[in-house]
Amino acid sequence: MKQLRGVLLIDDNDTSNFLNQRLLKRVQLTDNIKVLNNGRQAFDYMAALSQQTKVKANQDIKPELILLDINMPVMDGFEFLELYQELPEDFRRDILIAILSTSSHPQDTGKANFYNAYYITKPLTIEKIEMLLDMHYATSE
Amino acid sequence: MLEFFRNLFDSSSFMPHGHCYLWQSDILGLTVLGDGLTGVAYFTLPLMLFYIVKKRVDLMHRNVFILFGTFIMACGTTHFIDIWTIWQPTYRLAGTVTFITGIISIISAVALYKAVPQILTIPSNRQLEEANKLLLAEIAKKENAQAELRQVNDELEMRVQRRTAQLIRLNRELEKEIEVRKEAERNLINKNGELIRINGDLDNFVYCASHDLKTPIVNAEGLVTALREEVSIESPQVNELFIRLDGSVQQMHRTIQDLSDVSALQKVSNTTHLKSLPLSAVLNEVKTDLAENIRQTKTQIITDFRASDAVWFTHKNLKSVLYNLISNAIKYHSSERTPVIKISTEDAGDYILLTVADNGIGIDLKKHEKKIFSLFKRLQDNVEGSGVGLFIVKRIMENSQGRVEVESQVGKGSAFKLYFQKRTTPDTYAG
């Protein structure tokens, strides 16, 4: 499987995060997995990253893939996406965002489409990751 | 002529008239008395005539009366003149008066002559009396009739009053009844609003509950998988536990999925858009989804869409309905024969009838007719199923003003008949 620079998991459920982290490690998708618990934390983190001009030692690595839950306290996934649009386009260009949710409601999938985000229904599986990466790198290259 | 009038009162050239009577006193007396009496009478009569004319303002031919009065008075004057000329021979004056009298007489005669036809038409008193009697009788009759009429009128009025009173009473009763009904209607509207609210709450609850339950179940599923990967003990007992744990989680997952399908169905139904959908294309999508089941059971699907190859529906709902019915037909196939599913259309008036018929195990409708379309009711124990499929089919059809019917014979097969409403007015669905 393709190796990614880093993956950001945004989910308020610890078990979901635990299982997803475990899965990503098993398939060795990346060496850098960052876990955050809601949209607010995630936005602050991404905003801070976008302001760093150079990557220094010991600093967080910019993720290549973000897996985003919808229902979270403080700030939900869609609110995060709304704010995220305001970050510089250059910064966002090489980041792939996929919503990871239990909902298959058309309203949610439609919204994801609106924000140009992929949509995966839980549970996350190896096959789903593979499909997502294939789809993304096939269309972007 | 002038000479004549200048000598009007001249008596010098004539003898008095008394000479003709030789001044014999008996003739003189008789003539003077006769002329005097006549003259007085002739002056009295016109006064009475004038009096009558003055008093009787309604008198016809007043002119004739006045002329006659004048004429008689003139005659009276000639008689007095005659007395006068016995002693004073003013014969010119006497002739003039007589002439004037003659003129007035002629005028009176002409006036009377003219009035004759009209005077003749004036009814006599007797005639008038007769007429009067007749009139009185007539009036009496009329009064009788009027009295009768008044009586009838009174009766009518009474009846009208009675009827009016009745009507007012009835009207009041009706008003009361209307009030009662309005009250009932208000109650109904309130109840309806309450029900809609409760229903909405319930939908929301089911949606939220199923959604919130999904995460822990998905996690449990993942944890079981992870546990199996981590535990390396090769023990048949542990393995059995894993299988049962897996089964339980799967079952929970399915139930929650069904629940969220049902609640999503209720939420989505009013925001979807209808269009004309080709049946064969949608059927092919369903066949692709069920390809594995069809292959395993060697199910044959025969179609006949000659009557109509499209229905007016939403894509998602049509697919869901076909999917549920075909997967049911496969699920409940008879092990004694190759499963055959016949799908056909018919024109049914306002509807397109789509029939999905199988040769499966069939349903005992006498026993299960009421349960068949209910939520979470499964008629067969030995087949995997959650009891949501037919509920969804029924709900989708009814939400779209259509309906579903079922015919079945145990051991022979079942036929589900879907009635799709034809597109009535294009405007209804515009936008």
Side-chain angles (χ1 to χ4, degrees), chain B residues 311 313 318 321 350-352 354 397 418-422:
Chain B
V311 289
F313 224 59
L318 179 61
V321 163
D350 292 339
Y351 298 91
I352 300 285
L354 177 72
M397 293 313 291
L418 303 171
Y419 289 85
F420 292 90
Q421 200 178 40
K422 281 184 188 168

Side-chain angles (χ1 to χ4, degrees), chain A residues 1 27 125-136:
Chain A
M1 188 175 283
V27 297
T125 60
I126 299 167
E127 293 78 26
K128 285 176 186 170
I129 296 170
E130 271 176 345
M131 209 149 76
L132 172 71
L133 295 179
D134 284 353
M135 211 154 64
H136 179 71

